Amino acid sequence: MKKTDRWLRSLVWGFVAMIVVLIAIAGAGNQTTPPRGSVSLSPTWQEALRQYLQTRQPGLENQLRQSWQKRALVSRQPRVQELPLTEAPGNERNPAWSPDRRVIAFSSNSVDTNGNRRLDRNDGIGSRYRIWIMEPDGSNARPAIPENEIPPTVPIGDELYPAWFPDAGILAYVISAGGVTDIYTVNLRRSPVEIQQRTFGLRGVRKISVAPSGAGNRF
């Protein structure tokens, strides 16, 4: 009787084990596998991608792209900074670079009162315009023609409209005195400077230029 009970128990447990194995096989067969060659994304990336596609705004993207392009264009352009070369209370006008780019000639009614060779806020205003020369940074400013080197034959008046000759050593300018606006040239390389009158009795001259060859003036 005991042997029969043991045999029945073994049979029951074997049957139960077989049922468990069959259930496991059936469950595994119902699972789906991703197709070959597909990319599996984690749930975090999938959710982020879904949110991006839902909230994407093409108009905003275009604005950001245009803004970036403008910034890139500005970064490639040379940065220009304006610096005042003169700050005197007078009036500076008609600046002209010398052909060798070493100095700037201009007309001003300011006076270097403090003698620091700059036209700054502490300077005064004179009675007439003079032709001045200064370095590109505004330093070493001085009248092109020293007052004591002006010959008696040259009238005292406003010195205007400086124009350089190609050699950067001779300067043409206008003297306005008594309604007459004649053209003069001054050789700055001579000591004392050499002044020559080029026209006689002209009126209404407001601008002059020198021919590239230096052979004549135009006004």
Side-chain angles (χ1 to χ4, degrees):
M1 188 68 180
K2 293 181 179 179
K3 293 182 179 180
T4 305
D5 293 338
R6 292 177 180 176
W7 181 82
L8 291 173
R9 291 177 182 174
S10 299
L11 181 62
V12 170
W13 284 112
F15 183 77
V16 171
M18 183 178 64
I19 293 175
V20 171
V21 171
L22 291 176
I23 293 174
I25 294 174
N30 293 331
Q31 293 182 355
T32 58
T33 58
R36 184 174 299 177
S38 64
V39 178
S40 177
L41 300 177
S42 64
T44 303
W45 282 99
Q46 291 176 351
E47 182 65 17
L49 180 60
R50 184 182 64 80
Q51 293 179 358
Y52 170 76
L53 294 176
Q54 290 179 351
T55 60
R56 183 168 60 95
Q57 301 179 11
L60 179 60
E61 291 181 358
N62 293 334
Q63 293 178 7
L64 294 175
R65 186 182 301 108
Q66 294 175 1
S67 177
W68 178 84
Q69 291 174 348
K70 290 180 180 179
R71 289 172 180 264
L73 180 61
V74 171
S75 65
R76 290 195 296 266
Q77 293 178 348
R79 298 182 178 180
V80 179
Q81 183 178 10
E82 295 182 356
L83 296 175
L85 301 181
T86 62
E87 296 181 303
N91 185 10
E92 285 76 52
R93 58 179 64 177
N94 310 125
W97 275 97
S98 62
D100 57 7
R101 297 303 189 197
R102 297 180 62 183
V103 294
I104 303 172
F106 60 98
S107 182
S108 175
N109 63 345
S110 300
V111 179
D112 186 14
T113 306
N114 55 19
N116 64 352
R117 300 184 76 82
R118 279 185 176 272
L119 294 182
D120 52 36
R121 298 176 182 177
N122 298 322
D123 291 327
I125 301 177
S127 59
R128 63 191 179 97
Y129 283 87
R130 301 290 314 280
I131 299 296
W132 286 72
I133 295 177
M134 66 180 175
E135 307 295 326
D137 62 353
S139 64
N140 198 22
R142 71 277 187 191
I145 306 171
E147 195 78 38
N148 58 355
E149 295 185 16
I150 300 177
T153 56
V154 176
I156 301 299
D158 290 327
E159 301 169 359
L160 307 170
Y161 314 120
W164 291 96
F165 277 70
D167 64 353
I170 299 177
L171 195 64
Y173 66 103
V174 172
I175 295 181
S176 177
V180 178
T181 53
D182 278 324
I183 300 174
Y184 291 76
T185 58
V186 55
N187 190 335
L188 302 176
R189 292 177 176 160
R190 299 287 181 87
S191 183
V193 297
E194 182 179 272
I195 301 175
Q196 293 184 0
Q197 185 173 357
R198 300 295 183 171
T199 63
F200 299 87
L202 289 181
R203 293 178 179 271
V205 177
R206 295 187 177 182
K207 184 178 181 181
I208 62 174
S209 60
V210 179
S213 63
N217 299 330
R218 183 172 60 183
F219 54 91

